[in-house]
Amino acid sequence: MPDVQSLVNEFILKLKKRKIEGSQATARQTAVLLRSVISQQRIPYTSQAAALIDAVRAVGEQLIAANPIELAVGNIVRRVLHIIREEDLSLTTAAIEGLNVSSVSDDDGDTDKDDTPGLSAAALAAAARSTLRPPSLQTLLEDLPDSSAIPHTSSSGGDSDGKSKSADKSTRSRKLKHDVIEAINELIQDIDTCHDQIAEQAVEHIHHNEVILTLGSSKTVLEFLCAAKEKKRSFRVFVAEGAPRYQGHLLAKELVARGLQTTLITDSAVFAMISRVNMVIVGAHVVMANGGVIAPVGLNMVALAAQRHAVPFVVLAGCHKLCPLYPHNPEVLLNELRSPSELLDFGEFSDCMDFGYGTGTPLLHVVNPTFDYVPPKLVSLFITETGGHDPSYMYRLIADYYSADDLVLQRKVASVK
Amino acid sequence: MDPRRNPRSVIDPKVRHVGFLPPDRSLSTPSPDSHPSDDDDAALSPVIIPPPRHHSDNLSSPSSASHPVPPLAHHSPRYSEFSPRSPAASSPLSVVGSRLAADGEKETGGAGGSVRVLASSVPLSALTTASVVGVSRGITETVKGCVVEVQNEQPAILKPVKAKTTKAERRALQEAQRAAKAAAKVDATVDSNQSKSAKLSQQKNDPSSVISLDKKGHSSDRPPEKERKKDAPHPRMQYDDTSRVEKAKRKAVVKQTEVRNRVELFRHLPQYERGSQLPDLETKFFHLDPLHPAVYKVGLQYLSGDICGGNARCIAMLKAFQEFIGEKIMMADKVIVNHAVTKIRDGDVLLTYGSSSVVEMLILHAHELRKKFRVVMVDSRPKLEGQHLLRRLVREGISCTYTNINAISYIMHEVTRVFLGASAVLSNGTVYSRVGTACVAMVAHAFRVPVLVCCEAYKFHERVQLDSICCNELGDPDMISTIPDRKEIDGLNNWSNVDNLQFLNLIYDATPCDYVSMIITDYGMVPPTSVPVIVREYRGEHMWG
């Protein structure tokens, strides 16, 4: 798989250099990459799912380490792992049902089938063991031996069973890969169309003669507002410019191009204006499992102002932004500081840079964080592709998309035998 | 208890102190003169007004006046119950000019809070131009109050039995009525209740009841702007037209006494007024915005002719303003800084927003005192004022952290105190300051960091405001569309003319009072709820202080 490895390396480099803008693009490229990894992965006949999972995990760890702040990468990795598990589970249940049927029907059959009742039990057990069971104390204790035991039993069973079993297994393995790749394709499609699905709900939330406030720029918000505009809702938008990246300017340009009444304000004027605003609609970088939001810097201030004036604070987020992790000290640990040159001109302040008495440390520090953490109690509503949700519901969505096993992606250190 | 006293009258602290009666008998003395009890009538009749004398003379003069003494002595016990009461009590109403003589002596030059009464017969002397300036604080306080007091007392004092007034007195009465009517019209809405009750309590339908209306008008808080608009006559008045003259007279701040013999050729000019206009001015001006004593002094000097000549007048005026600056801004800043440094401890992390001169002085002073702290400077577009202050602080050797207003949630967890400046503090505790201050205060409040606003007392205002929309100032919208420092951002440089796009450059915003922990002023460290108290109590006193 050298070409896959080179693809992986290339992607890692892009992540490290922060070349990819936006979590949607990152998520999509991650999914595509993992699809290639899976399709190229050679998996053994037995415990295919485990093999796939290991492979994806290995790649995923590297990707996450390249850009820990871009949580969309980790989200997609975990989604893929969840897909693998699910597909495997569904295949196995289908296989087990198939075995049952076949054993019942072929009771008085050929010699092969004579063994099936007995072997089928062993095969059943083997099959059951080869699927990824939810962790129980037994599995936790016999983890390593288990994985090595399975091939033996299955091989012993397979020897006696003959080609049919192996034939079954090979078809099953091919089917697993096929299903997983199909599911990943669906995932990619979901990522691509998340804007449209969210924008469909715009009409329910934006009414006539409303005033909307937003900060910075988000493609989801842009599509959302334009969808409402297309449904002939007339409203106006206040865009806060979102220093120091000034992405609000870009959003204002886009909105004006699509015919919306837009007013550009400074971030400092947010509290002054918010008393006349009906709704605050913003995008998110990541949505955490507790319903908290990692959002562009300045949005915590907006959320506090909205709470003070009882203005609904609506966050638009595609499912790929939903992260199963809980935030601990997110402001510091899930944040990135950007260059001070965005705030101060180095040339103008060069004289200030050298001042340092005694300790020699510079007297002037410049702080330029990228993200802000908005706690769940300040968020009124999350709008995802599946509809609107309260922040307290987000953990349920996580159960839909992710498995509990995958939360920690680091390889477990092999325990002492 | 005097049953005729109106129990529900407005007690304006300005009128707490009973002081002089206005010397100009044409205006207000007729009313108290004719309206106190029958005994007092003769005592307060206009004819008794002595010629102008020094204030100290005034106090002794009542005793010399034969008329006032007996009736006053008779009445003083009646009103004595009111004398020891605190100024805030409702007693002033019934404290009468009639108390004047009897109590005048015992209340000389006391500190504020005691009701001071001066004889009605003496005021003129005290109110001459030169002497007023030199008058002690207490006296001058009372002047204001007295004028109103005297008028206040009319409803309280019934039985307006008119003494036999001379023709001059009757004429003076009419003048007073006219003036009172003018004042009453201005304040009709505010004082209608009080005047009605006053009228009821009065049994005379003496036109001086109108003067009680006048009193009521004075005692309540009149919107100064409205009054000023109506009071000032048009500069190019047509004196030939009698109807216009009448109208102007009714509205006039300066009451023009009728001159008997005037030169017809010059009837289009304002006629000479004997004596000073001061009492008239005082009755009305005391209720307009208070003046700084230096400015007031210059005004009096103009009036009396002490300063004459264009250059001299101009220079005197500018010097008066300079004194104001020195006292109300420079000294106030020093006082504020002295108070506020006590709030800075070693190890503090102070956050400040934008560039406030007081906060800068405070930080530099604290640094001089060798306190160990560091500063977080929060800045915002489009003015980026924080950069200037940042440079100055770093030069002094203070360790600074600089950030944009969007990042205050990030930085606030390490901040221990927030110091802000203000453009104005309004009477509902709202701090009116540079746009963005409200955001900083809000986030500080959310993180439980105390917010201290440093503001000189001259910035306090009676106005109230709930949000930043009703009253604000707009700046240049092009400052928003262009980002001068960052050429690489393709902003909206040429988008000013696009139809749907507007730029909003607010200059100020209003911070609600619950975000502010304390306001540090030259009067001390007060909570935001004390601002209307300071405006009310000290506005007048600062005139004399």
Side-chain angles (χ1 to χ4, degrees), chain A residues 38-361:
Chain A
I38 287 174
S39 61
Q40 302 260 0
Q41 178 76 11
R42 235 181 269 244
I43 45 176
Y45 285 156
T46 55
S47 68
Q48 308 87 348
L52 275 179
I53 283 172
D54 281 343
V56 170
R57 259 202 179 168
V59 174
E61 272 179 40
Q62 296 176 51
L63 296 180
I64 290 171
N67 188 348
I69 303 301
E70 190 58 78
L71 291 167
V73 173
N75 294 349
I76 298 300
V77 169
R78 293 186 185 95
R79 283 291 285 273
V80 169
L81 291 173
H82 181 73
I83 286 170
I84 297 174
R85 286 176 206 270
E86 283 220 330
E87 294 299 332
D88 188 53
L89 188 60
S90 65
L91 276 177
T92 312
T93 45
I96 288 172
E97 280 166 18
L99 277 173
N100 278 339
V101 168
S102 61
S103 64
V104 166
S105 58
D106 299 331
D107 242 346
D108 42 350
D110 42 4
T111 49
D112 278 307
K113 299 296 191 310
D114 283 345
D115 295 336
T116 45
L119 280 168
S120 64
L124 270 173
R129 243 177 277 130
S130 72
T131 63
L132 301 158
R133 299 163 288 172
S136 70
L137 285 175
Q138 198 178 16
T139 57
L140 287 173
L141 285 172
E142 53 180 42
D143 211 345
L144 280 173
D146 204 33
S147 50
S148 52
I150 292 176
H152 295 156
T153 49
S154 44
S155 58
S156 59
D159 287 340
S160 48
D161 243 20
K163 313 96 201 169
S164 63
K165 264 290 175 254
S166 53
D168 279 341
K169 286 213 182 83
S170 63
T171 50
R172 241 183 68 200
S173 73
R174 278 202 296 277
K175 203 155 188 319
L176 178 64
K177 241 198 196 178
H178 175 75
D179 287 347
V180 168
I181 289 175
E182 280 230 343
I184 294 182
N185 284 338
E186 264 180 44
L187 174 63
I188 292 174
Q189 200 177 17
D190 275 346
I191 295 172
D192 287 338
T193 59
C194 70
H195 296 317
D196 300 330
Q197 289 186 314
I198 292 174
E200 276 166 21
Q201 304 168 52
V203 194
E204 296 166 21
H205 298 285
I206 300 181
H207 308 289
H208 273 298
N209 299 330
E210 287 218 333
V211 180
I212 312 277
L213 173 73
T214 185
L215 187 143
S217 172
S218 162
K219 186 150 188 293
T220 325
V221 172
L222 174 64
E223 296 298 328
F224 194 82
L225 295 176
C226 294
K229 176 85 172 54
E230 263 148 47
K231 297 284 192 329
K232 307 286 184 277
R233 294 286 157 90
S234 73
F235 56 97
R236 35 177 316 128
V237 184
F238 282 110
V239 180
E241 57 182 5
R245 299 182 72 186
Y246 300 105
Q247 292 191 322
H249 289 243
L250 303 172
L251 180 66
K253 257 193 198 169
E254 293 283 331
L255 289 173
V256 168
R258 308 228 195 162
L260 274 168
Q261 276 275 336
T262 316
T263 306
L264 188 65
I265 63 174
T266 54
D267 315 306
S268 40
V270 160
F271 192 90
M273 299 308 304
I274 202 155
S275 57
R276 298 291 188 272
V277 166
N278 298 118
M279 195 186 305
V280 178
I281 300 181
V282 294
H285 177 69
V286 176
V287 178
M288 310 301 294
N290 64 342
V293 181
I294 308 281
V297 71
L299 277 173
N300 190 27
M301 182 175 78
V302 177
L304 285 170
Q307 186 194 43
R308 160 77 184 207
H309 290 87
V311 174
F313 188 83
V314 174
V315 177
L316 309 179
C319 298
H320 58 93
K321 295 191 178 170
L322 185 58
C323 179
L325 301 176
Y326 278 80
H328 299 288
N329 200 1
E331 298 257 317
V332 177
L333 299 179
L334 290 173
N335 211 337
E336 227 182 3
L337 297 179
R338 297 167 68 91
S339 165
S341 63
E342 289 178 358
L343 293 181
L344 285 183
D345 187 31
F346 281 150
E348 271 180 47
F349 278 84
S350 53
D351 48 349
C352 293
M353 299 298 181
D354 299 333
F355 281 83
Y357 300 117
T359 57
T361 53

Side-chain angles (χ1 to χ4, degrees), chain A residues 236 241 243-244 249 253 261-264 266-267 271 276 298 300-301 308 331 342 348 351 363 365 367, chain B residues 381 391 395 400-404 406 409-410 436 438 442 467 480 486 490 492 500 502 504 514-515:
Chain A
R236 35 177 316 128
E241 57 182 5
H249 289 243
K253 257 193 198 169
Q261 276 275 336
T262 316
T263 306
L264 188 65
T266 54
D267 315 306
F271 192 90
R276 298 291 188 272
N300 190 27
M301 182 175 78
R308 160 77 184 207
E331 298 257 317
E342 289 178 358
E348 271 180 47
D351 48 349
L363 287 176
H365 299 264
V367 173
Chain B
R381 279 241 306 153
R391 195 187 287 277
R395 272 186 210 287
C400 296
T401 305
Y402 178 80
T403 181
N404 197 45
N406 276 331
S409 302
Y410 177 84
M442 172 185 67
D467 62 13
I480 306 283
R486 309 269 295 282
D490 175 26
L492 297 156
N500 285 331
Q502 293 108 37
L504 179 63
D514 43 341
Y515 291 152

